[in-house]
Amino acid sequence: MQWSDEEEAAARKKVEENSAVRVLLEEQVKFENEASKYWDTFYKIHKNKFFKDRNWLLREFPEIIPVDQKTEQKLEELSWDHAKTSAANGFSRMHCPTMPEEKNYNKKRCGSSDGQRKAGSHFSNLDSKEHRKGPLKTELFPGSNATFRILEVGCGAGNSVFPILNTLQDAPESFLYCCDFASGAVELVKLHSSYRAAQCCAFVHDVCDEDLPFPFPDGILDVILLVFVLSSIHPDRMQGVINRLSNLLKPGGMLLFRDYGRYDKTQLRFKRGHCLSENFYVRGDGTRAYFFTKGEVHNMFCKAGLDEKQNLVDRRLQVNRKKQVKMHRVWVQGKFQKPLHLTQKTSKLVF
């Protein structure tokens, strides 16, 4: 839906009001330094009951799944099932989260099952200084035999992981990595009945730590999923995170992005005294959220050397019929591709 000039002006005024009082600097430092603690507490309280599974992912981002006859058929079935459900229940309720979406961060622990367990434990026992020096040997990392590799950053309790894994049953050559900086969230993923260590590696990781290695080499990923994650990171660190993720993609690989847009109802509902900086807020539980414009998203991903394939603002209207309340939702969604041909500045190799 499109907003009227009056609606946009009212939203802008609301943001000006709730941004007038800023959180004290010492408090802001605390929220930054203890970010993982706040998200760990969140998952201890809510476990895997807070967010709904993102069954819309494959419709919005079919790039997640390698294209073959089986997965094409699966996607058609999912799309048709979703269309029937949407007609009955209203599309927007299936499409959106109810409030904050997940996050990302700290240790390295992978799944436990025979071959994958052996590879994962071998990796974790390597001397940290030694494997920080360069790419890992291909025989050492989880998913080394896969031909199609996906990473979800900020997996939370697995609301994207398990819809993807369910579809990957038809694509055994694929492998899914998923990480979060809340150790409690990663534990929830690994304890889930649908977790398969033979095709998935869940690990704790802080994507803001540029010196912290991933459990796989750079340049091997076909897809990176970054959904409602970047908004929870301090704006000063966002570009570094995107640059690092760009290095993980192989030429032609895709980074798929979706997050809060400017003037989303979540931003408008913040009270005075919760604003950290411009369009960046802290919730009552200590977790944080930033609200993007399409231009900001374009600039960040293009600076990381990625080509823009999609960048749109998705505006929807949710209606609580029982309470007769209308809520404007705004998201920014983008698809960004690693160039097939690297320039002289980034590499001497041409693929």
Side-chain angles (χ1 to χ4, degrees):
M1 63 166 291
Q2 296 300 317
W3 286 22
S4 67
D5 291 341
E6 292 78 11
E7 287 173 325
E8 187 155 353
R12 188 182 301 110
K13 182 179 179 182
K14 181 65 177 175
V15 167
E16 289 173 357
E17 291 173 355
N18 69 21
S19 303
V21 178
R22 300 290 173 90
V23 176
L24 295 174
L25 185 59
E26 53 265 33
E27 287 294 307
Q28 294 196 35
V29 172
K30 175 186 175 183
F31 291 128
E32 174 68 19
N33 293 340
E34 300 182 11
S36 61
K37 185 190 79 171
Y38 289 113
W39 280 102
D40 259 330
T41 301
F42 175 89
Y43 285 109
K44 284 178 182 177
I45 294 171
H46 299 288
K47 300 190 182 298
N48 60 356
K49 307 297 183 184
F50 192 83
F51 302 115
K52 294 180 180 179
D53 282 353
R54 295 166 175 161
N55 295 313
W56 51 267
L57 271 179
L58 299 180
R59 178 178 49 78
E60 294 291 342
F61 299 131
E63 298 85 353
I64 292 172
I65 305 301
V67 178
D68 59 30
Q69 189 171 0
K70 289 182 179 180
T71 54
E72 281 181 346
Q73 181 180 356
K74 184 74 172 178
L75 288 172
E76 288 175 5
E77 292 170 358
L78 286 168
S79 179
W80 175 239
D81 287 343
H82 180 84
K84 290 189 292 185
T85 307
S86 297
N89 299 331
F91 171 80
S92 62
R93 290 187 63 80
M94 291 217 27
H95 189 70
C96 47
T98 49
M99 90 168 227
E101 285 273 355
E102 293 94 81
K103 194 146 183 185
N104 40 356
Y105 277 59
N106 212 296
K107 292 178 184 174
K108 305 176 291 300
R109 289 186 356 220
C110 292
S112 55
S113 161
D114 296 358
Q116 284 306 125
R117 184 175 187 176
K118 183 178 180 181
S121 61
H122 192 167
F123 172 80
S124 63
N125 289 332
L126 290 174
D127 179 77
S128 59
K129 292 183 180 179
E130 181 179 338
H131 71 254
R132 282 172 185 252
K133 292 179 181 178
L136 301 172
K137 294 181 180 180
T138 55
E139 67 270 16
L140 295 181
F141 70 92
S144 56
N145 294 325
T147 58
F148 189 86
R149 301 183 184 95
I150 308 162
L151 167 66
E152 186 195 4
V153 180
C155 61
N159 299 95
S160 297
V161 170
F162 298 109
I164 294 172
L165 274 181
N166 288 340
T167 303
L168 290 184
Q169 293 182 59
D170 295 328
E173 74 285 356
S174 301
F175 195 88
L176 173 63
Y177 304 97
C178 56
C179 66
D180 200 287
F181 81 152
S183 58
V186 174
E187 280 301 308
L188 289 171
V189 171
K190 294 170 73 173
L191 292 172
H192 195 283
S193 59
S194 297
Y195 183 76
R196 301 192 305 276
Q199 204 171 16
C200 183
C201 173
F203 58 101
V204 185
H205 191 87
D206 181 352
V207 292
C208 292
D209 185 348
E210 297 183 3
D211 295 322
L212 188 64
F214 285 85
F216 49 81
D218 285 356
I220 68 157
L221 296 178
D222 294 273
V223 174
I224 294 175
L225 189 63
L226 191 65
V227 175
F228 295 102
V229 174
L230 196 63
S231 56
S232 62
I233 294 172
H234 194 287
D236 292 347
R237 295 190 169 195
M238 290 180 183
Q239 189 65 58
V241 169
I242 297 170
N243 293 346
R244 180 72 183 99
L245 295 178
S246 176
N247 291 336
L248 299 176
L249 288 170
K250 63 171 63 171
M254 296 288 291
L255 194 154
L256 308 175
F257 172 83
R258 188 172 178 87
D259 219 318
Y260 294 117
R262 191 69 47 84
Y263 306 145
D264 178 68
K265 68 152 187 175
T266 310
Q267 182 177 17
L268 304 186
R269 289 167 64 178
F270 277 106
K271 305 298 183 184
R272 288 165 65 97
H274 285 261
C275 185
L276 299 166
S277 59
E278 192 172 358
N279 301 301
F280 190 43
Y281 300 80
V282 62
R283 303 183 182 94
D285 62 5
T287 62
R288 300 170 299 175
Y290 185 86
F291 298 86
F292 297 94
T293 64
K294 178 180 173 180
E296 288 173 337
V297 171
H298 169 85
N299 291 336
M300 286 190 295
F301 287 99
C302 290
K303 281 182 181 178
L306 302 177
D307 294 334
E308 182 178 290
K309 299 301 179 182
Q310 181 191 75
N311 187 11
L312 56 86
V313 177
D314 186 357
R315 293 184 175 91
R316 299 186 182 273
L317 179 66
Q318 288 182 324
V319 180
N320 185 322
R321 301 187 187 281
K322 186 176 180 180
K323 297 182 179 180
Q324 290 297 301
V325 176
K326 293 182 179 180
M327 298 170 288
H328 291 283
R329 302 310 313 264
V330 185
W331 300 286
V332 179
Q333 178 170 302
K335 301 179 182 183
F336 302 89
Q337 187 173 38
K338 186 80 166 282
L340 286 169
H341 300 283
L342 301 182
T343 64
Q344 198 105 24
K345 289 183 180 179
T346 56
S347 176
K348 295 181 180 179
L349 297 175
V350 177
F351 295 87

